[in-house]
């Protein structure tokens, strides 16, 4: 088991190294995408471009640039922005992380609870109206772009029905730090949580329902029924328990992706200054070090989440230990 | 398989679709080839027929965009019309109206007239939203479709090469797939867009202008390649190790023939099952990228760019945002519905489950 775990960890390191090189190449070595020209701005004189190239060390060989950037990012931590001169990148990212984490963690609690409820309820009433209604709803949830849901939510809660009793409590868009006021933190995040969770409730509900229905074909379910266990006990104790494993694996990956910045659309629509929005804004002004750092941060989270999920699977499932 | 026996003559009548591809694989030829059987399954499923018709209807409606713009709306939806005026109930009304809220500064585009001109109102540049909506639908569907084909082709290539070659080639390709998959899809797409968009490319004789639709197609097509390539690779490995391929090998059949006759047809079903879901995913991805202004570039429209135009008008003219959003939702739901039926028919595992 230890060997399997160690080899998984070693693979994680290799993948991370590969990602850092790939990201670097996308931004600094794409043919025709001269970072110095980008930084110097449109219609800059050739001398300016040359000066910028020298200033930022872009005239050095590519591997030297890569090494310098990695050193600044991980060892000295003093990587600075190309656009806002003097802005330190590592602290900026660190400041944005709690916003994203609050958003994603809250939404994750919601979507796991409601997704599990949806899946179990639909499986229990398979073929009857609650099942059909829930599956119809989740099909809708999966089909709507998350930023559009967010806009519609804003339209209702911030504008059209804002002055009624139902939504007058909704604070204006933005983030309130938890340390400042836990209540206002939660109030400000209620609708972003619901919006982000909606899609995943649909996804996970459908997945769990399929899983439970498939498990019902297994022999051990028949045995459990033959023993005379109640239908509820069979459903909750036996079928759901094994059907939820793939959902948990999926959860690990989705959580990693979202914390890494995939919640960008939700953050943009609700005006939350999280990692995703930071990346998006850096992209708009082409702040290369900021983009590099946040994309790397993001993919590291994904790789880490994948590795944790795999390690958990090795712990839970003995079949995964031999390889 | 009861479907083989049920050769009832009534059902063949609604199958005047073009002749399906020849039966796959070297299995003993069943009375009905798998492709024909799949077609029959689709035709006999009301959900598949209805969603298929719905998708067809949407495509047809979007194809009418030029006719709508020319004969009904009588505008050019790609030119701004800030000073345009239209006739409503016998009075001439400016398209950009003086704001009545707040200080009365600035202008608000006209709201939905529900008439032939400006049916859904105008956007911030005084352009007819309904006409743009139809043109945008064309682009959204075209981009999603082309990106789907591109993605399936790349995934098939990578998956088959990795799965069939094995060894070092497989190790390199699999790790590369893992690496690309480790990027959050949107961040990867945004990164690629930033590097590629906004300038023109020259590949020898081919010239791509900065507003070309090719770039979003390539970007959206590439980001989901790992998503499909991984299952394709798994399937190729499973087939390569299966007994009938082993038998074919023992008979001395050339590897290229095994690839062509046994592996490709089996991979094809996996690809077909992915197609509608991928198309649905691509529509959402296109709209998201365009919403972040890194997808379709002006002057082209797409459902995503209209959503972006509508963002600034969300509280005053919400219809601009609602129309493309609802269109995306309906199209994606129909595609997913169709895809579900297709998977149930083509995926042998889920057939066994029933």
């Amino acid at each position: 088991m230890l060997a399997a775990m160690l080899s998984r960890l070693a693979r994680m390191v290799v993948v991370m190294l590969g990602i850092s090189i790939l990201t670097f190449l996308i931004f600094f070595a794409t043919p025709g995408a001269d970072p110095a020209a980008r930084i110097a701005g449109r219609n800059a004189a050739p001398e300016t471009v040359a000066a910028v190239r020298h200033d930022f060390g872009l005239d050095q060989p590519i591997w030297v640039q890569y090494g310098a950037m990695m050193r600044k990012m991980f060892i000295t931590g003093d990587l600075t922005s190309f656009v806002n001169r003097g802005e330190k990148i590592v602290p900026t990212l660190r400041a944005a992380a709690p916003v994203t984490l609050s958003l994603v963690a809250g939404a994750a609690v919601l979507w796991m609870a409601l997704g599990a409820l949806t899946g179990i309820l639909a499986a229990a009433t398979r073929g009857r109206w609650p099942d059909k209604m829930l599956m119809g709803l989740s099909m809708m949830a999966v089909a709507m772009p998350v930023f559009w849901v967010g806009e519609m939510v804003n339209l209702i809660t911030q504008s059209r029905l804002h002055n009624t009793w139902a939504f007058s409590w909704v604070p204006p868009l933005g983030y309130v730090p938890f340390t400042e006021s836990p209540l206002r933190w939660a109030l400000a995040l209620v609708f972003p949580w619901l919006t982000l969770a909606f899609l995943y409730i649909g996804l996970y509900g459908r997945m769990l329902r399929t899983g439970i229905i498939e498990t019902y074909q297994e022999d051990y379910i028949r045995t459990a029924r033959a023993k005379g266990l109640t239908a509820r006990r069979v459903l909750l104790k036996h079928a759901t328990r094994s059907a939820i494993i793939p959902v948990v694996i999926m959860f690990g990956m989705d959580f990693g992706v979202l914390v890494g910045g995939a919640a960008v659309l939700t953050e943009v629509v609700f005006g939350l200054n999280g990692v995703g929005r930071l990346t998006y804004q850096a992209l708009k002004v082409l702040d290369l070090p900021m983009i590099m750092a946040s994309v790397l941060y993001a993919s590291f989270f994904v790789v880490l989440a994948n590795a944790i999920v795999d390690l958990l699977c090795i712990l839970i499932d003995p079949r995964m230990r031999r390889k | 398989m009861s479907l083989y026996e049920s050769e009832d003559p009534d059902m063949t009548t609604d199958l005047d679709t073009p002749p399906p591809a020849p039966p796959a694989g070297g299995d003993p030829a069943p009375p009905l080839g798998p492709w024909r059987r799949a077609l029959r399954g689709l035709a006999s499923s009301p959900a598949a027929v209805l969603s298929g018709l719905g998708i067809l209807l949407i495509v047809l409606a979007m194809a009418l965009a030029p006719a709508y713009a020319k004969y009904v709306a009588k505008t050019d939806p790609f030119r701004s019309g800030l000073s345009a005026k239209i006739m409503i109930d016998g009075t001439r009304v400016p398209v950009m109206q003086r704001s009545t809220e707040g200080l009365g500064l600035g202008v608000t585009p006209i709201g939905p007239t529900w008439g032939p001109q400006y049916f859904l109102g105008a956007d911030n540049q005084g352009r007819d939203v309904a006409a743009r909506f139809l043109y945008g639908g064309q682009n959204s569907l075209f981009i999603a479709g082309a990106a789907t084909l591109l993605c399936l082709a790349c995934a098939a290539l990578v998956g088959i090469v990795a799965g069939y070659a094995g060894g070092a080639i497989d190790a390199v390709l699999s790790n590369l797939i893992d690496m690309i998959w480790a990027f959050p899809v949107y961040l990867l797409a945004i990164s690629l867009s930033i590097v590629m968009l906004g300038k023109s490319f020259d590949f020898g004789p081919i010239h791509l202008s900065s507003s070309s639709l090719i770039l979003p197609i390539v970007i959206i097509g590439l980001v989901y390649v790992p998503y499909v390539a991984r299952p394709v690779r798994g399937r190729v490995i499973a087939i390569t190790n299966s007994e009938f391929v082993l038998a074919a090998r023992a008979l001395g059949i050339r590897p290229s023939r095994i690839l062509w006759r046994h592996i490709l047809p089996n991979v094809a079903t996996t690809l077909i099952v992915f197609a509608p879901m991928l198309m649905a995913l691509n529509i959402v991805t296109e709209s998201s990228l365009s919403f972040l202004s890194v997808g379709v570039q002006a002057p082209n429209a797409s459902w995503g760019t209209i959503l972006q135009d509508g963002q600034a008008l969300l509280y005053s003219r919400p219809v601009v945002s609602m129309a493309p959003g609802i269109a995306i939702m309906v199209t994606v739901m129909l595609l997913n519905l169709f895809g579900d039926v297709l998977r149930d028919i083509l995926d042998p595992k889920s057939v066994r489950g029933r």
Side-chain angles (χ1 to χ4, degrees), chain A residues 200-263:
Chain A
Y200 292 97
I201 294 172
L203 267 179
Y204 285 38
R206 279 172 72 90
M207 199 171 155
L208 189 61
R209 174 185 179 272
T210 316
I212 293 176
I213 288 171
E214 263 170 24
T215 337
Y216 269 164
Q217 320 278 336
E218 301 280 341
D219 289 340
Y220 67 85
I221 297 288
R222 202 181 316 146
T223 312
R225 283 203 178 122
K227 277 198 306 188
L229 296 186
T230 57
R232 178 188 301 182
R233 206 176 157 80
V234 172
L235 172 69
L236 294 180
K237 272 273 178 186
H238 293 78
T240 305
R241 206 164 173 183
S242 72
I244 210 145
I245 290 174
V247 176
V248 172
I249 293 178
M250 185 104 160
F251 173 80
M253 313 226 301
D254 283 337
F255 191 80
V257 172
L258 285 173
V259 172

Side-chain angles (χ1 to χ4, degrees), chain B residues 229-281:
Chain B
R230 288 216 282 197
V232 168
R233 172 181 167 271
R235 187 120 175 84
V236 171
I237 290 175
I239 299 163
T240 314
N241 294 331
S242 69
E243 280 165 5
F244 71 88
V245 170
L246 223 62
R249 241 186 224 158
L251 287 171
I253 291 170
R254 275 173 290 123
S256 60
R257 194 174 162 77
I258 292 178
L259 199 66
W260 185 250
R261 292 275 297 177
H262 299 290
I263 293 177
L264 268 185
N266 276 299
V267 167
T269 56
T270 309
L271 294 179
I272 290 173
V273 166
F274 266 106
M277 293 184 235
L278 206 58
M279 172 112 184
L281 260 177

Side-chain angles (χ1 to χ4, degrees), chain A residues 147-187:
Chain A
F147 64 90
W148 185 70
V149 179
E151 286 197 326
M152 293 301 118
V153 166
N154 278 345
L155 179 64
I156 293 169
T157 62
Q158 297 284 343
S159 165
R160 289 300 185 267
L161 296 179
H162 186 67
N163 294 326
T164 63
W165 57 270
F167 297 113
S168 53
W169 56 269
V170 181
L173 299 181
Y175 176 76
V176 181
F178 184 78
T179 46
E180 199 179 302
S181 156
L183 178 70
R184 280 177 41 225
W185 169 82
L187 282 183

Side-chain angles (χ1 to χ4, degrees), chain B:
Chain B
M1 292 283 161
S2 59
L3 263 170
Y4 286 171
E5 277 85 59
S6 68
E7 278 269 40
D8 80 39
D10 302 343
M11 280 193 57
T12 42
T13 47
D14 54 5
L15 264 178
D16 38 12
T17 33
D27 331 57
L32 216 58
W35 300 116
R36 193 180 270 271
R37 197 155 52 84
L39 264 183
R40 178 164 298 185
L42 281 182
S44 63
S45 149
V49 172
L50 284 180
S51 55
L53 281 178
I55 295 165
L56 210 64
L57 213 67
I58 291 174
V59 172
L60 281 179
M62 298 307 142
L64 290 175
Y68 178 86
K70 194 166 177 201
Y71 298 112
V72 183
K74 300 194 182 76
T75 56
D76 178 359
F78 298 104
R79 256 210 345 252
S80 56
L82 293 174
S83 53
K85 288 193 163 104
I86 56 165
M87 296 289 281
I88 297 175
D89 300 330
T91 49
R92 281 171 72 78
V93 183
V95 168
M96 304 305 283
Q97 298 169 335
R98 179 61 53 86
S99 178
T100 48
E101 289 161 31
L103 297 169
L105 297 172
V107 284
T108 312
I110 194 169
T113 59
W114 310 119
Q117 287 189 303
Y118 294 101
F119 179 73
L120 295 175
D123 63 14
N124 259 336
Q125 300 187 41
R127 299 174 297 194
D128 189 313
V129 173
R132 281 180 72 75
F133 169 77
L134 294 180
Y135 272 109
Q138 275 184 6
N139 282 344
S140 285
L141 294 175
F142 174 67
I143 291 174
T148 305
L149 292 182
L150 177 71
C151 174
L152 291 179
C154 292
L157 190 71
V158 174
I160 290 175
V161 168
Y164 199 59
I169 297 175
D170 182 28
V172 170
L173 282 178
S174 303
N175 273 314
L176 200 67
I177 291 175
D178 279 358
M179 258 172 232
I180 297 177
W181 198 225
F183 280 94
V185 167
Y186 285 113
L187 287 190
L188 179 59
I190 294 172
S191 312
L192 287 175
S193 311
I194 293 290
V195 176
M196 288 167 71
L197 286 174
K199 54 178 179 294
S200 44
F201 281 88
D202 286 296
F203 299 107
I206 308 160
H207 176 78
L208 291 180
S209 76
S210 58
S211 62
S212 165
L213 292 182
I214 303 281
L215 295 178
I217 289 174
V218 170
I219 292 163
I220 296 168
L222 287 184
V223 289
Y224 286 114
V225 167
Y227 178 64
V228 187
R230 288 216 282 197
V232 168
R233 172 181 167 271
R235 187 120 175 84
V236 171
I237 290 175
I239 299 163
T240 314
N241 294 331
S242 69
E243 280 165 5
F244 71 88
V245 170
L246 223 62
R249 241 186 224 158
L251 287 171
I253 291 170
R254 275 173 290 123
S256 60
R257 194 174 162 77
I258 292 178
L259 199 66
W260 185 250
R261 292 275 297 177
H262 299 290
I263 293 177
L264 268 185
N266 276 299
V267 167
T269 56
T270 309
L271 294 179
I272 290 173
V273 166
F274 266 106
M277 293 184 235
L278 206 58
M279 172 112 184
L281 260 177
N282 286 344
I283 289 179
V284 175
T285 312
E286 182 277 321
S287 69
S288 309
L289 289 181
S290 297
F291 178 72
L292 295 175
S293 65
V294 290
V296 173
Q297 301 295 307
N300 286 320
S302 79
W303 284 339
T305 62
I306 300 170
L307 280 169
Q308 199 210 0
D309 294 340
Q311 195 191 12
L313 299 169
L314 183 60
Y315 296 149
S316 54
R317 298 283 178 244
V319 182
V320 182
S321 297
M322 279 156 100
I326 291 169
I328 291 170
M329 184 179 80
V330 171
T331 315
V332 170
M333 271 175 86
L334 289 175
L335 281 167
N336 280 336
L337 211 61
F338 190 79
D340 278 356
V341 179
L342 202 63
R343 190 193 51 215
D344 286 348
I345 291 170
L346 284 178
D347 190 351
K349 226 171 86 194
S350 61
V351 171
R352 213 185 306 126
R354 273 184 290 160

